[in-house]
Amino acid sequence: MSIGYKIRKFFSNHAETKDRHEEKKLQTHYYKASKDSVMKVIESYFQSKDTYSINAVSKEHGEISATSKKGKSVFVVATIIMVRPYHTAVDFSVTTESLLQIDFGYSSKVIQELYEHMNKELELITEH
């Protein structure tokens, strides 16, 4: 991970995952589950936390969006794509809303917490 990336991450208010991300913790996660079961896990996570409120759920597009109700103001979009049967990709996009447009890496921490929860609930596929 380059020094430039670390500085950009620290002084940004946005983080998102992708297949070939510089930071291993922010790479797309693949789960051995159907799209519907993955969506249920993410939806139940947001419903179980009193800090989040679900904005929208689009099963057709495989997206769930939520915002925080307490603490830092955070907007989360989860994108769920079934690559093949029981091989489902999950990506997150998190934006922290603040006056300075800096969150000191908080949005990355939110993504890591979401993936940690999902790893406990679903079987992670390490090779894809």
Side-chain angles (χ1 to χ4, degrees):
M1 193 176 345
S2 69
I3 294 290
Y5 170 76
K6 287 181 181 181
I7 292 170
R8 283 192 314 273
K9 174 186 160 190
F10 191 74
F11 289 107
S12 175
N13 70 333
H14 179 79
E16 61 184 43
T17 61
K18 59 184 177 181
D19 263 341
R20 291 181 180 90
H21 202 286
E22 262 186 88
E23 190 173 345
K24 187 150 178 69
K25 292 179 181 179
L26 296 180
Q27 288 180 350
T28 302
H29 280 49
Y30 292 84
Y31 295 97
K32 188 174 184 175
S34 68
K35 178 179 155 185
D36 289 339
S37 60
V38 172
M39 287 190 75
K40 284 179 188 172
V41 168
I42 295 170
E43 205 172 341
S44 67
Y45 174 81
F46 287 134
Q47 289 170 342
S48 70
K49 299 287 184 180
D50 61 345
T51 54
Y52 287 103
S53 172
I54 294 176
N55 293 343
V57 176
S58 173
K59 293 187 185 212
E60 306 82 43
H61 295 108
E63 288 189 344
I64 299 172
S65 66
T67 53
S68 62
K69 297 186 287 187
K70 296 179 183 175
K72 290 187 179 186
S73 182
V74 177
F75 179 70
V76 181
V77 176
T79 305
I80 302 98
I81 300 169
M82 193 157 84
V83 181
R84 55 184 171 266
Y86 292 96
H87 196 102
T88 304
V90 178
D91 279 308
F92 291 104
S93 173
V94 177
T95 304
T96 306
E97 297 176 19
S98 63
L99 295 173
L100 300 175
Q101 302 297 312
I102 299 172
D103 72 359
F104 303 108
Y106 183 76
S107 50
S108 295
K109 290 177 188 170
V110 170
I111 291 173
Q112 291 172 30
E113 287 172 12
L114 287 162
Y115 275 149
E116 284 174 17
H117 171 76
M118 295 192 62
N119 292 347
K120 291 176 188 171
E121 298 290 319
L122 300 166
E123 185 180 343
L124 180 67
I125 299 171
T126 54
E127 294 180 15
H128 49 166

